[in-house]
Amino acid sequence: MTMTKEQADIQQAFTERMDEEELLNCMRCGFCLPACPTYIETGFQEKHSPRGRIALMKAVADGLIAPDDDVEASLDLCLGCRACEPVCPAGVNYGHLLEEARDIFKQHRKQSFPVKQVRKTVFEGLFPHQKRIRAATGLLGFYQRSGLQKAARKIGFMKLFPDHLAGMESVLPKVPTMKKMKQRPAYLPADHEKTAKAAFFSGCLMDTMFLETNDATLKLLQMAGCEIVIPTAQGCCGALHGHSGEKEKAKEMAKKNIEAFEQTNADYIITNAGGCGAFLIRYDHLLKDELDWAERAKNFTRRLKDITQILLELNFHQRIPLQLPTQILTYQDSCHLRNVMHTYTAPRTLLQAIEGATYQEMRDADRCCGSAGIYNIVEPSMSMQILDHKMANAIATEATTIVTANPGCLLQMKLGIEREGLSSKIRAVHIVDVLLEAASKGGKKDTLL
């Protein structure tokens, strides 16, 4: 078998870096097949299944096949939803293998100058710097408030973009003012007798574009009796880097966050975004080979909880009256929240505790919606195909409110509603916003600070 130098370098890296024991753990039993969205959507193509991709990784590592474009395409088409992991009888950590393989390809592939510049701008120039994310979000806010958005839509400017991108523009949340984005609290007292001390992971986009959801999260924690600290030195979780072949940069960001939260002496570290939480809880794996950081990373992940889990443990739904006008609620799982953080009972229990609302379970609620970080941008065809099936299941519940627990999922479900022409009948909302709405209806509405 003849390989180019680039392919030989990739193959050598696979041999050196891929976890041989983990690759061999896959027994090819096929339990993962019914759980894999891309396997189903591609008409049951084995190369687009978890066991098929693992077989490709093993074959590359063993030098049996060349790491060509087809192998990379198979890896790139994977959503990374990790629905295969809970159903795997051997407990294969597929997500770890996928990220390592993608990192190897990205580190050794020659990229065009424009691609290099875009990656450098996004991964080095933007996301590691919260002030720059705030400034970029501020530009979006100016676009929305200045009249440019209305003008762009009126003259048909958005028609120049692919349908899925034009659709995403239409469902973006209203961005808060720059003044409000800058005035973020570093400490909040409990509303009543203290039950716990919580350190809040505010995130990057969550604390700008989705700032109202962060505020709702903080208010719920206060109502639950939590004293809250919000470390000012924290930054982006690094998930986008880790999933996109920028592993070393992800490690840098992980270390920054670990240092920031070590100073809080909090009982818990709370997150409200499934995608962020799933990467944060893997800091111990990300830094396992670094002696100075391995134990510190473990201490970080031990304290990490999703907002719904801590609310359930503090009996929020039993202590705070929850009420909404008559409506049907359904819940769309965040893949990473369910499959990596193993949080799926808590959000359902909280929603079912809301008086006046009826909870209706969605068929295949645990199957990916097609958002998967930036997947709906880089793999739009597959993403929209998956979304269409998700919307069919959502509509079948007759729900008027679709609840989820991750910003990417939220935008994807909003896009699905828009594509179905149901914006006047169905809304998509983050679970903390629903819970605060229910708590405000059921009791006295308080301010954040």
Side-chain angles (χ1 to χ4, degrees):
M1 177 179 56
T2 303
M3 288 191 281
T4 65
K5 184 181 184 306
E6 180 182 85
Q7 289 176 334
D9 290 342
I10 293 173
Q11 191 276 320
Q12 182 63 29
F14 263 73
T15 301
E16 295 173 354
R17 290 176 51 182
M18 295 302 293
D19 189 329
E20 177 76 7
E21 183 177 346
E22 198 71 77
L23 289 171
L24 289 172
N25 278 344
C26 178
M27 303 180 296
R28 315 290 192 265
C29 66
F31 275 81
C32 59
L33 301 183
C36 178
T38 54
Y39 174 73
I40 295 168
E41 297 293 342
T42 57
F44 312 112
Q45 292 186 34
E46 185 71 23
K47 68 178 180 179
H48 294 312
S49 71
R51 74 174 182 184
R53 292 184 176 106
I54 291 175
L56 290 175
M57 297 177 204
K58 182 72 166 63
V60 170
D62 291 344
L64 300 178
I65 64 172
D68 56 20
D69 291 343
D70 286 341
V71 174
E72 187 175 18
S74 174
L75 299 177
D76 287 343
L77 193 64
C78 179
L79 290 147
C81 68
R82 300 175 71 169
C84 51
E85 293 186 9
V87 299
C88 178
V92 176
N93 289 304
Y94 172 80
H96 298 166
L97 294 172
L98 177 68
E99 287 184 6
E100 194 70 19
R102 282 177 170 173
D103 188 66
I104 292 171
F105 266 104
K106 293 298 184 292
Q107 294 304 318
H108 291 84
R109 281 287 198 200
K110 292 181 180 178
Q111 299 171 337
S112 66
F113 180 74
V115 170
K116 284 183 179 179
Q117 290 304 109
V118 169
R119 290 182 66 87
K120 184 177 179 65
T121 299
V122 171
F123 295 124
E124 296 182 30
L126 182 60
F127 277 92
H129 310 282
Q130 186 64 10
K131 288 184 179 180
R132 296 178 189 177
I133 293 177
R134 191 180 297 141
T137 307
L139 291 176
L140 176 59
F142 175 77
Y143 166 73
Q144 292 175 336
R145 290 187 292 270
S146 65
L148 284 175
Q149 186 177 53
K150 290 183 178 179
R153 292 175 179 178
K154 187 174 182 179
I155 66 176
F157 179 72
M158 296 310 300
K159 292 180 180 179
L160 299 176
F161 295 86
D163 290 345
H164 69 286
L165 290 181
M168 288 177 193
E169 186 272 347
S170 69
V171 300
L172 289 175
K174 296 298 181 183
V175 174
T177 63
M178 184 65 73
K179 180 180 180 180
K180 191 170 183 181
M181 284 191 284
K182 288 181 178 179
Q183 294 177 340
R184 305 304 294 141
Y187 171 83
L188 291 170
D191 270 0
H192 48 80
E193 183 180 353
K194 177 182 170 182
T195 57
K197 183 177 182 181
F200 180 56
F201 182 81
S202 52
C204 47
L205 291 179
M206 286 302 299
D207 215 41
T208 50
M209 189 178 296
F210 297 92
L211 184 142
E212 288 188 2
T213 298
N214 266 8
D215 282 350
T217 304
L218 294 171
K219 186 61 209 169
L220 291 175
L221 287 171
Q222 285 181 290
M223 294 171 73
C226 289
E227 175 190 18
I228 311 166
V229 288
I230 306 100
T232 57
Q234 65 177 297
C236 175
C237 66
L240 182 62
H241 298 74
H243 300 326
S244 303
E246 298 285 341
K247 188 175 180 180
E248 291 307 311
K249 194 65 182 177
K251 287 183 177 181
E252 289 179 24
M253 298 165 83
K255 293 172 184 177
K256 177 181 178 180
N257 284 324
I258 291 170
E259 284 185 328
F261 281 87
E262 281 177 337
Q263 310 303 318
T264 66
N265 195 31
D267 302 311
Y268 307 105
I269 298 171
I270 305 300
T271 177
N272 62 3
C276 295
F279 199 74
L280 293 168
I281 209 165
R282 291 182 53 251
Y283 276 2
D284 56 346
H285 174 78
L286 185 67
L287 299 172
K288 63 182 175 64
D289 296 324
E290 301 196 25
L291 294 179
D292 294 339
W293 288 94
E295 191 58 36
R296 295 170 72 179
K298 287 180 181 179
N299 289 333
F300 178 94
T301 59
R302 286 191 194 107
R303 293 185 290 159
L304 189 71
K305 286 183 183 290
D306 179 69
I307 177 62
T308 59
Q309 189 63 46
I310 189 63
L311 290 178
L312 183 67
E313 291 179 11
L314 295 177
N315 294 315
F316 176 84
H317 60 306
Q318 295 176 350
R319 295 166 49 198
I320 304 294
L322 301 175
Q323 186 176 2
L324 285 176
T326 301
Q327 59 190 282
I328 298 176
L329 306 174
T330 193
Y331 180 71
Q332 162 60 27
D333 284 285
S334 157
C335 294
H336 288 133
L337 182 59
R338 183 182 181 109
N339 300 324
V340 183
M341 295 189 75
H342 307 298
T343 301
Y344 44 87
T345 301
R348 288 170 168 81
T349 301
L350 294 170
L351 291 175
Q352 289 168 1
I354 301 175
E355 292 185 14
T358 301
Y359 179 79
Q360 182 66 47
E361 183 70 15
M362 185 194 310
R363 179 183 178 186
D364 294 334
D366 59 341
R367 183 165 293 171
C368 186
C369 65
S371 173
I374 59 171
Y375 188 91
N376 50 10
I377 297 175
V378 298
E379 298 286 350
S381 179
M382 177 60 70
S383 175
M384 294 303 103
Q385 189 174 327
I386 292 170
L387 177 58
D388 287 342
H389 288 158
K390 177 62 66 177
M391 285 308 302
N393 290 337
I395 292 169
T397 67
E398 300 184 350
T400 51
T401 301
I402 301 174
V403 184
T404 189
N406 187 60
C409 302
L410 178 60
L411 291 182
Q412 185 80 337
M413 299 312 297
K414 284 180 177 288
L415 178 59
I417 292 169
E418 185 78 15
R419 280 162 56 89
E420 295 290 339
L422 295 172
S423 297
S424 63
K425 298 180 180 180
I426 304 175
R427 64 171 180 159
V429 63
H430 194 288
I431 189 167
V432 299
D433 294 312
V434 167
L435 291 174
L436 184 58
E437 180 185 348
S440 299
K441 295 286 185 182
K444 181 181 177 181
K445 185 172 183 178
D446 296 311
T447 57
L448 173 64
L449 300 178

